[in-house]
Amino acid sequence: MLQQILTDMFISPELLAELSEEQKQVLFIKMREEQVRRWKDGEARLEKEDATLTKPKKASVKSVQWLEGMDSDVWVWVMGDHPADQSYDQICDDIIAQRAACQAQREAEELRAKKEAELVKRFSSVLMDSELQLWKEEVERQEVERQEVERQEVERQEVERRAAAQEQSQQEKREAEERRRAEEEVRRVEQKRKQEIYMDLREVREERDDQHWQDSVRKSKAADLRRRSIAKQTRDDHRRQSVKALERGRVAAVTKAFGGDRPALPPKPKPRNLTVTSDTLNPKQGVRRTLSTSSREHIIRWFQEEQLPYRAGFQKDQSRIASWFHGIISRQEAEDLLSEGEPGHFLVRVSERILGYVLSYRCKEEFKHFLVDATEGCYMLLGHQIRFTSLAELVEFHEGEPITMSGGEQLLQPCGQKPSGVDYADLFT
């Protein structure tokens, strides 16, 4: 189940609700490590693909040559560095004036050619007399006068433009000077005000009670210490449980169960007022396993076809159903049963939300619920590393060893059924 969650990088809300706080922390760390591993693998794959797809660049046939000066260096001209250089506005105005003069000259030439064509057309067959000659001279004279007037107008506009540019330059200089003085005044006032505010805040800070700030720092340090303690206790718990399993010889049994062939089914127990047919012991290949379901019929079918052949819920000697085993009951129903006992009471119930089990435990002031992963033909608490071949072995192990070092949840007394009747009858019928 944990491997499938890490493969999909998703956990359903129903499954998450069954996890305890310690199991949630372990699952979060595992998912984070899986994300980092996938990212590193992707980066390595992209680097490998880039290395294989890199092609040599073709030599370019184009070239650029720079104009060199007398010093054999690249010739560079910066506009405005030379005293004779005009400003950008002056250059733009000169260009505009030249364009206007060229445009007027072209229009005059076109008009002159048009008039000349008209005259040629009208008087091509008649000799020009003295009046025509005088008229032509008058037209030429008017054209010269017009050009002279245009030239004078352009010169006048140029003088006015230069005067305006000079006046604007002086105005900009005066404005820049005023701005500089105003900026100096603002900076001086700002420095003075800054010093005054600093002194006021310093006095307020010295007078203020910093108890709240100290409490926040203390709580932050305590939370950090608590997280480190939980992580250390989890590592110690895993190491201790692994050593304990080695001492009891469970590692060899698990290696044999998963390394070789599937073990033969244990003998069928004697019926105790319960009807268990042989048809229910034969797993059907048509059932598709899922992590989460809301169908009670689906959970019963899963238990009968996949868990009952392994005598799930029976005592270790398989003589009868264990007193701590319960059927498909909710979290609230489990807490109601445990509330009648003392701290240390526990039960193992079939989850009503997922295909698995939940170990419910009563503490002094609360109830804890630990999800039991029942995939791959073994049983283990989610987030732990020790696998057990049956639920009875898991319960027996934690009767002597606490589930977590931080909580010290040691299974002391099983919680039995209600006097009114058992809650697991539908699982065995």
Side-chain angles (χ1 to χ4, degrees):
M1 183 183 297
L2 180 59
Q3 186 63 31
Q4 184 173 354
I5 293 174
L6 296 179
T7 302
D8 300 338
M9 293 303 291
F10 171 79
I11 180 171
S12 61
E14 295 83 0
L15 179 59
L16 186 62
E18 295 292 342
L19 300 180
S20 63
E21 292 299 327
E22 290 81 0
Q23 290 177 324
K24 289 179 181 178
Q25 293 181 4
V26 173
L27 182 60
F28 173 77
I29 295 174
K30 295 291 185 181
M31 295 180 71
R32 185 58 179 169
E33 291 176 352
E34 179 65 15
Q35 289 178 343
V36 173
R37 186 190 65 78
R38 291 186 180 181
W39 178 80
K40 290 182 178 180
D41 293 344
E43 290 294 325
R45 185 174 61 258
L46 289 177
E47 291 179 359
K48 186 176 180 180
E49 292 177 357
D50 293 341
T52 56
L53 296 178
T54 303
K55 297 182 179 179
K57 296 183 179 179
K58 296 181 179 179
S60 178
V61 296
K62 297 181 180 180
S63 62
V64 178
Q65 294 182 354
W66 300 94
L67 180 64
E68 297 182 354
M70 298 179 62
D71 55 354
S72 300
D73 198 359
V74 177
W75 185 80
V76 179
W77 172 62
V78 181
M79 182 185 296
D81 286 355
H82 196 273
D85 289 346
Q86 296 180 346
S87 64
Y88 176 76
D89 295 335
Q90 294 176 352
I91 293 175
C92 292
D93 292 338
D94 292 343
I95 293 174
I96 294 173
Q98 291 177 4
R99 291 180 178 177
C102 292
Q103 182 68 19
Q105 185 176 2
R106 285 194 301 271
E107 293 177 357
E109 292 294 337
E110 292 176 357
L111 182 61
R112 187 180 296 107
K114 184 178 181 180
K115 294 292 184 181
E116 184 67 22
E118 291 177 356
L119 291 174
V120 171
K121 183 178 181 180
R122 291 174 58 187
F123 303 101
S124 59
S125 59
V126 182
L127 296 176
M128 291 191 306
D129 52 4
S130 58
E131 293 181 359
L132 182 60
Q133 184 67 26
L134 291 175
W135 178 81
K136 185 177 181 180
E137 292 177 356
E138 180 65 20
V139 171
E140 293 178 354
R141 184 182 62 79
Q142 291 178 359
E143 180 67 21
V144 171
E145 290 178 357
R146 187 185 63 79
Q147 293 180 358
E148 181 65 20
V149 171
E150 290 179 354
R151 185 184 62 79
Q152 292 178 1
E153 181 66 21
V154 170
E155 291 179 355
R156 185 182 62 80
Q157 292 179 358
E158 180 66 20
V159 172
E160 292 178 357
R161 186 191 61 76
R162 291 183 178 179
Q166 185 176 4
E167 180 66 22
Q168 183 178 2
S169 177
Q170 293 178 357
Q171 182 68 20
E172 290 177 354
K173 290 182 179 179
R174 289 195 297 269
E175 182 180 359
E177 181 66 20
E178 291 295 333
R179 287 180 180 275
R180 186 184 61 80
R181 293 177 182 177
E183 184 66 22
E184 291 179 355
E185 180 66 20
V186 170
R187 290 181 179 177
R188 184 181 62 79
V189 174
E190 180 184 2
Q191 290 292 336
K192 182 178 179 181
R193 184 57 181 164
K194 180 180 178 180
Q195 186 66 22
E196 293 176 356
I197 294 175
Y198 172 76
M199 297 302 296
D200 294 341
L201 293 177
R202 187 172 180 180
E203 292 177 0
V204 171
R205 182 178 179 181
E206 292 176 355
E207 296 175 358
R208 184 182 58 190
D209 184 15
D210 59 346
Q211 184 64 31
H212 178 69
W213 179 79
Q214 292 179 0
D215 293 341
S216 300
V217 173
R218 184 169 58 255
K219 291 180 180 179
S220 177
K221 292 182 178 179
D224 184 58
L225 183 61
R226 185 166 56 255
R227 286 193 296 270
R228 293 181 180 179
S229 177
I230 291 174
K232 183 177 181 300
Q233 290 176 357
T234 302
R235 291 193 298 267
D236 295 342
D237 186 18
H238 170 58
R239 187 183 302 110
R240 181 184 56 77
Q241 291 180 355
S242 299
V243 173
K244 193 69 176 180
L246 287 173
E247 293 176 354
R248 295 192 176 188
R250 302 188 186 276
V251 174
V254 173
T255 303
K256 181 179 180 181
F258 293 94
D261 297 334
R262 187 170 181 176
L265 299 178
K268 177 180 176 182
K270 297 180 179 179
R272 295 176 57 83
N273 297 329
L274 299 174
T275 304
V276 181
T277 62
S278 60
D279 295 336
T280 60
L281 300 180
N282 298 324
K284 297 182 180 179
Q285 301 299 328
V287 178
R288 185 177 180 181
R289 185 70 178 276
T290 59
L291 271 179
S292 176
T293 179
S294 59
S295 173
R296 185 180 183 90
E297 292 75 11
H298 191 183
I299 297 177
I300 294 174
R301 185 181 179 187
W302 163 78
F303 180 84
Q304 293 178 350
E305 296 183 358
E306 297 189 20
Q307 296 299 306
L308 195 56
Y310 291 99
R311 296 298 185 264
F314 283 80
Q315 289 185 347
K316 190 174 181 180
D317 57 1
Q318 301 182 0
S319 60
R320 60 187 180 88
I321 299 176
S323 59
W324 41 260
F325 183 76
H326 288 258
I328 306 175
I329 61 176
S330 64
R331 176 190 291 245
Q332 186 61 43
E333 292 174 343
E335 292 179 357
D336 293 341
L337 289 173
L338 293 173
S339 62
E340 299 177 359
E342 299 294 331
H345 276 60
F346 70 97
L347 61 85
V348 178
R349 57 188 172 92
V350 179
S351 176
E352 63 176 350
R353 298 181 179 178
I354 65 170
L355 299 180
Y357 303 92
V358 180
L359 194 158
S360 300
Y361 180 84
R362 181 181 180 182
C363 301
K364 292 183 179 180
E365 299 179 356
E366 61 177 348
F367 299 94
K368 292 186 178 181
H369 305 271
F370 301 93
L371 183 64
V372 179
D373 189 357
T375 58
E376 301 180 0
C378 65
Y379 303 89
M380 59 183 291
L381 292 174
L382 187 63
H384 290 203
Q385 302 297 326
I386 302 178
R387 301 184 178 186
F388 302 91
T389 58
S390 65
L391 285 174
E393 289 187 358
L394 187 147
V395 171
E396 181 185 2
F397 179 80
H398 288 292
E399 286 177 348
E401 297 294 331
I403 299 176
T404 62
M405 292 296 296
S406 58
E409 303 89 355
Q410 191 169 356
L411 308 182
L412 300 179
Q413 183 67 31
C415 180
Q417 299 287 331
K418 293 182 178 180
S420 58
V422 296
D423 51 23
Y424 50 72
D426 53 353
L427 298 176
F428 299 93
T429 57

